[in-house]
Amino acid sequence: MSKLLQINSSVFGDQGVSSQLANAFVQEWQTRHPGTQLVRRDLVADPVPHLDGERLGALMTAEEERSPEQQQVVAAADALIRELQEADTVVLGAPMYNFGIPSQLKSWFDMVARAGVTFRYTEAGAEGLLTGKKVYVFTSRGGLHKGESSDGITPYLQTMLGFLGLTDVEFVFAEGLAMGDEAREQGIARANARIEELLAA
Ligand SMILES: Cc1cc2nc3c(=O)[nH]c(=O)nc-3n(C[C@H](O)[C@H](O)[C@H](O)COP(=O)(O)O)c2cc1C
Protein backbone atom coordinates (compact mmCIF):
# COMPACT_ATOMS: atom_id res chain seq x y z
CA MET A 1 0.00 0.00 0.00
CA SER A 2 1.29 3.42 -0.96
CA LYS A 3 1.92 5.88 1.87
CA LEU A 4 1.63 9.66 1.78
CA LEU A 5 3.06 11.86 4.52
CA GLN A 6 1.57 15.36 4.68
CA ILE A 7 3.26 18.04 6.76
CA ASN A 8 1.45 21.38 7.17
CA SER A 9 3.10 24.36 8.85
CA SER A 10 0.80 27.37 8.50
CA VAL A 11 0.14 29.38 11.66
CA PHE A 12 -3.41 29.70 10.30
CA GLY A 13 -3.93 25.95 10.49
CA ASP A 14 -6.32 24.59 7.86
CA GLN A 15 -7.29 28.18 6.92
CA GLY A 16 -3.76 28.87 5.67
CA VAL A 17 -3.41 29.05 1.90
CA SER A 18 -0.54 26.56 1.89
CA SER A 19 -2.67 24.15 3.98
CA GLN A 20 -5.70 24.61 1.75
CA LEU A 21 -3.68 23.90 -1.39
CA ALA A 22 -1.91 20.93 0.18
CA ASN A 23 -5.19 19.58 1.59
CA ALA A 24 -6.95 19.90 -1.78
CA PHE A 25 -4.05 18.16 -3.51
CA VAL A 26 -4.03 15.31 -0.99
CA GLN A 27 -7.80 14.87 -1.16
CA GLU A 28 -7.71 14.61 -4.93
CA TRP A 29 -4.63 12.37 -4.74
CA GLN A 30 -6.54 9.97 -2.52
CA THR A 31 -9.42 9.87 -5.01
CA ARG A 32 -7.02 9.10 -7.84
CA HIS A 33 -4.93 6.66 -5.80
CA PRO A 34 -7.46 4.72 -3.73
CA GLY A 35 -6.00 2.87 -0.78
CA THR A 36 -3.28 5.47 -0.17
CA GLN A 37 -2.42 5.48 3.52
CA LEU A 38 -2.29 9.07 4.77
CA VAL A 39 -0.24 10.30 7.71
CA ARG A 40 -0.91 13.94 8.47
CA ARG A 41 1.09 16.23 10.71
CA ASP A 42 0.25 19.84 11.58
CA LEU A 43 3.47 21.27 12.98
CA VAL A 44 1.72 24.29 14.48
CA ALA A 45 -1.01 22.34 16.29
CA ASP A 46 1.50 19.68 17.31
CA PRO A 47 4.94 21.35 17.32
CA VAL A 48 8.28 19.64 17.22
CA PRO A 49 10.41 21.28 19.94
CA HIS A 50 13.33 23.43 18.83
CA LEU A 51 16.71 21.84 18.64
CA ASP A 52 18.66 22.98 21.70
CA GLY A 53 21.68 21.83 23.64
CA GLU A 54 19.75 19.26 25.62
CA ARG A 55 18.09 17.72 22.56
CA LEU A 56 21.28 17.66 20.56
CA GLY A 57 23.01 16.14 23.59
CA ALA A 58 20.39 13.39 23.72
CA LEU A 59 20.82 12.64 20.02
CA MET A 60 24.59 12.51 20.37
CA THR A 61 24.64 10.28 23.44
CA ALA A 62 25.25 6.57 22.85
CA GLU A 63 22.04 4.54 23.17
CA GLU A 64 23.13 2.61 26.24
CA GLU A 65 24.15 5.80 28.07
CA ARG A 66 20.95 7.80 27.55
CA SER A 67 18.92 8.97 30.54
CA PRO A 68 15.15 8.27 30.48
CA GLU A 69 14.57 11.92 29.35
CA GLN A 70 17.14 11.54 26.59
CA GLN A 71 15.51 8.29 25.49
CA GLN A 72 12.22 10.15 25.11
CA VAL A 73 13.83 12.85 22.97
CA VAL A 74 15.40 10.28 20.66
CA ALA A 75 12.22 8.19 20.48
CA ALA A 76 10.23 11.26 19.38
CA ALA A 77 12.79 12.09 16.68
CA ASP A 78 12.91 8.42 15.61
CA ALA A 79 9.14 8.44 15.13
CA LEU A 80 9.35 11.49 12.82
CA ILE A 81 12.14 9.84 10.83
CA ARG A 82 10.19 6.59 10.55
CA GLU A 83 7.18 8.43 9.12
CA LEU A 84 9.43 9.94 6.49
CA GLN A 85 11.26 6.69 5.71
CA GLU A 86 7.97 4.86 5.25
CA ALA A 87 6.39 7.48 2.96
CA ASP A 88 6.37 7.01 -0.80
CA THR A 89 5.05 10.54 -1.33
CA VAL A 90 5.67 13.60 0.83
CA VAL A 91 3.51 16.75 0.75
CA LEU A 92 4.86 19.87 2.46
CA GLY A 93 2.87 23.02 3.18
CA ALA A 94 5.55 25.72 3.34
CA PRO A 95 4.21 29.27 3.75
CA MET A 96 6.65 32.18 3.61
CA TYR A 97 7.13 33.97 6.91
CA ASN A 98 9.85 36.61 6.96
CA PHE A 99 11.33 35.27 3.73
CA GLY A 100 11.81 31.72 4.93
CA ILE A 101 9.96 28.61 6.04
CA PRO A 102 8.06 28.65 9.36
CA SER A 103 10.31 27.93 12.31
CA GLN A 104 8.06 24.95 13.08
CA LEU A 105 9.04 23.36 9.77
CA LYS A 106 12.71 24.13 10.40
CA SER A 107 12.43 22.35 13.77
CA TRP A 108 11.04 19.31 11.97
CA PHE A 109 14.02 19.28 9.59
CA ASP A 110 16.35 19.63 12.58
CA MET A 111 14.85 16.42 14.00
CA VAL A 112 14.76 14.33 10.80
CA ALA A 113 18.25 15.20 9.55
CA ARG A 114 20.26 12.49 11.34
CA ALA A 115 23.77 11.42 10.36
CA GLY A 116 23.95 7.75 9.45
CA VAL A 117 20.15 7.48 9.22
CA THR A 118 18.80 10.05 6.76
CA PHE A 119 22.17 11.18 5.35
CA ARG A 120 25.80 10.21 5.57
CA TYR A 121 29.16 11.50 4.51
CA THR A 122 31.43 9.33 2.42
CA GLU A 123 34.77 10.04 0.77
CA ALA A 124 32.74 11.26 -2.20
CA GLY A 125 30.80 13.76 -0.06
CA ALA A 126 27.29 13.87 1.37
CA GLU A 127 24.82 11.16 0.46
CA GLY A 128 21.09 11.39 1.16
CA LEU A 129 19.56 8.14 2.39
CA LEU A 130 15.86 8.87 1.79
CA THR A 131 15.71 7.94 -1.87
CA GLY A 132 12.93 6.95 -4.26
CA LYS A 133 10.30 9.36 -2.93
CA LYS A 134 8.36 12.13 -4.60
CA VAL A 135 7.91 15.45 -2.81
CA TYR A 136 5.29 18.14 -3.48
CA VAL A 137 5.80 21.55 -1.85
CA PHE A 138 2.97 24.08 -1.53
CA THR A 139 4.41 27.49 -0.84
CA SER A 140 2.26 30.58 -0.32
CA ARG A 141 3.52 34.16 -0.22
CA GLY A 142 2.15 37.66 0.23
CA GLY A 143 4.49 39.04 -2.43
CA LEU A 144 6.26 37.83 -5.56
CA HIS A 145 9.52 36.00 -4.88
CA LYS A 146 9.75 33.05 -7.28
CA GLY A 147 13.16 33.12 -8.95
CA GLU A 148 14.29 36.14 -6.87
CA SER A 149 16.95 36.35 -4.18
CA SER A 150 14.15 37.15 -1.71
CA ASP A 151 12.87 33.56 -2.07
CA GLY A 152 14.46 31.98 0.97
CA ILE A 153 12.29 28.91 0.65
CA THR A 154 12.78 27.29 -2.76
CA PRO A 155 16.60 27.09 -2.78
CA TYR A 156 16.65 26.13 0.90
CA LEU A 157 14.15 23.32 0.46
CA GLN A 158 15.87 22.06 -2.68
CA THR A 159 19.15 21.91 -0.77
CA MET A 160 17.72 20.50 2.46
CA LEU A 161 15.51 17.89 0.82
CA GLY A 162 18.25 16.99 -1.66
CA PHE A 163 20.71 16.52 1.20
CA LEU A 164 18.37 13.87 2.61
CA GLY A 165 18.10 12.17 -0.81
CA LEU A 166 14.74 13.74 -1.69
CA THR A 167 15.68 15.02 -5.12
CA ASP A 168 12.37 14.59 -6.97
CA VAL A 169 10.59 17.76 -5.80
CA GLU A 170 7.71 19.68 -7.39
CA PHE A 171 6.92 23.20 -6.18
CA VAL A 172 3.48 24.77 -6.34
CA PHE A 173 3.61 28.54 -5.81
CA ALA A 174 0.74 30.75 -4.63
CA GLU A 175 2.18 34.25 -4.84
CA GLY A 176 0.95 37.83 -4.60
CA LEU A 177 -1.57 36.93 -1.89
CA ALA A 178 -1.23 40.29 -0.12
CA MET A 179 -1.19 42.38 -3.30
CA GLY A 180 -4.92 42.99 -3.66
CA ASP A 181 -7.92 40.86 -4.51
CA GLU A 182 -7.09 40.41 -8.18
CA ALA A 183 -3.48 39.39 -7.57
CA ARG A 184 -4.58 37.04 -4.77
CA GLU A 185 -7.18 35.35 -6.96
CA GLN A 186 -4.68 35.04 -9.78
CA GLY A 187 -2.05 33.59 -7.44
CA ILE A 188 -4.46 30.96 -6.14
CA ALA A 189 -5.81 30.18 -9.62
CA ARG A 190 -2.25 29.61 -10.89
CA ALA A 191 -1.54 27.28 -7.98
CA ASN A 192 -4.75 25.32 -8.64
CA ALA A 193 -3.90 25.00 -12.33
CA ARG A 194 -0.47 23.63 -11.40
CA ILE A 195 -2.11 21.17 -9.01
CA GLU A 196 -4.32 19.92 -11.85
CA GLU A 197 -1.24 19.47 -14.05
CA LEU A 198 0.62 17.56 -11.35
CA LEU A 199 -2.32 15.30 -10.60
CA ALA A 200 -2.80 14.54 -14.28
CA ALA A 201 0.91 13.70 -14.78
C1 LIG B 1 4.34 36.47 10.25
C2 LIG B 1 4.20 36.60 8.78
C3 LIG B 1 5.32 36.88 8.02
C4 LIG B 1 5.19 36.99 6.64
N1 LIG B 1 6.30 37.24 5.88
C5 LIG B 1 6.20 37.34 4.55
C6 LIG B 1 7.35 37.56 3.74
O1 LIG B 1 8.47 37.65 4.20
N2 LIG B 1 7.17 37.67 2.40
C7 LIG B 1 5.94 37.55 1.81
O2 LIG B 1 5.84 37.65 0.58
N3 LIG B 1 4.84 37.31 2.54
C8 LIG B 1 4.94 37.19 3.89
N4 LIG B 1 3.83 36.94 4.64
C9 LIG B 1 2.55 36.67 3.96
C10 LIG B 1 2.32 35.18 3.87
O3 LIG B 1 3.32 34.57 3.09
C11 LIG B 1 0.94 34.88 3.30
O4 LIG B 1 -0.02 35.35 4.23
C12 LIG B 1 0.69 33.41 3.05
O5 LIG B 1 -0.66 33.21 2.73
C13 LIG B 1 1.04 32.58 4.27
O6 LIG B 1 0.74 31.24 4.01
P1 LIG B 1 -0.39 30.50 4.87
O7 LIG B 1 -1.67 31.22 4.55
O8 LIG B 1 -0.36 29.11 4.39
O9 LIG B 1 -0.01 30.65 6.32
C14 LIG B 1 3.92 36.83 6.02
C15 LIG B 1 2.80 36.53 6.81
C16 LIG B 1 2.93 36.41 8.17
C17 LIG B 1 1.72 36.09 9.00
Side-chain angles (χ1 to χ4, degrees):
M1 190 192 291
S2 170
K3 289 191 178 179
L4 188 153
L5 172 64
Q6 181 187 2
I7 309 279
N8 282 357
S9 64
S10 170
V11 292
F12 304 109
D14 279 335
Q15 299 308 311
V17 175
S18 59
S19 309
Q20 288 184 354
L21 293 170
N23 291 352
F25 176 85
V26 168
Q27 201 178 347
E28 190 54 34
W29 177 278
Q30 285 180 297
T31 307
R32 296 186 192 212
H33 303 86
T36 300
Q37 195 181 319
L38 173 64
V39 176
R40 224 167 154 260
R41 213 166 245 289
D42 180 331
L43 295 177
V44 175
D46 185 13
V48 173
H50 274 134
L51 182 64
D52 58 13
E54 261 176 45
R55 274 167 216 288
L56 190 60
L59 292 164
M60 293 177 71
T61 301
E63 195 174 347
E64 59 281 4
E65 289 169 20
R66 284 177 203 144
S67 68
E69 293 77 21
Q70 288 180 320
Q71 283 171 23
Q72 271 184 9
V73 168
V74 178
D78 284 349
L80 297 176
I81 290 174
R82 209 172 310 116
E83 279 177 358
L84 193 50
Q85 286 171 327
E86 288 176 356
D88 303 291
T89 310
V90 180
V91 169
L92 293 183
M96 179 179 282
Y97 299 143
N98 300 315
F99 302 100
I101 59 169
S103 58
Q104 290 89 345
L105 184 54
K106 176 63 165 58
S107 287
W108 179 79
F109 277 115
D110 287 340
M111 282 298 133
V112 299
R114 175 105 55 92
V117 181
T118 54
F119 72 88
R120 70 179 167 205
Y121 277 98
T122 67
E123 282 168 10
E127 183 189 356
L129 300 176
L130 297 172
T131 51
K133 303 177 195 302
K134 179 102 189 175
V135 183
Y136 296 91
V137 176
F138 295 84
T139 180
S140 44
R141 295 94 188 270
L144 303 174
H145 305 284
K146 187 181 170 190
E148 304 291 332
S149 61
S150 58
D151 185 353
I153 290 187
T154 314
Y156 168 73
L157 285 180
Q158 267 163 345
T159 301
M160 186 69 241
L161 292 166
F163 181 69
L164 301 178
L166 299 160
T167 51
D168 189 357
V169 186
E170 299 283 359
F171 285 86
V172 175
F173 294 87
E175 293 208 301
L177 301 177
M179 294 171 60
D181 292 346
E182 206 183 317
R184 184 181 173 86
E185 275 167 31
Q186 216 175 65
I188 292 175
R190 281 210 186 105
N192 282 324
R194 182 77 186 123
I195 287 177
E196 275 306 313
E197 267 175 28
L198 291 171
L199 286 164

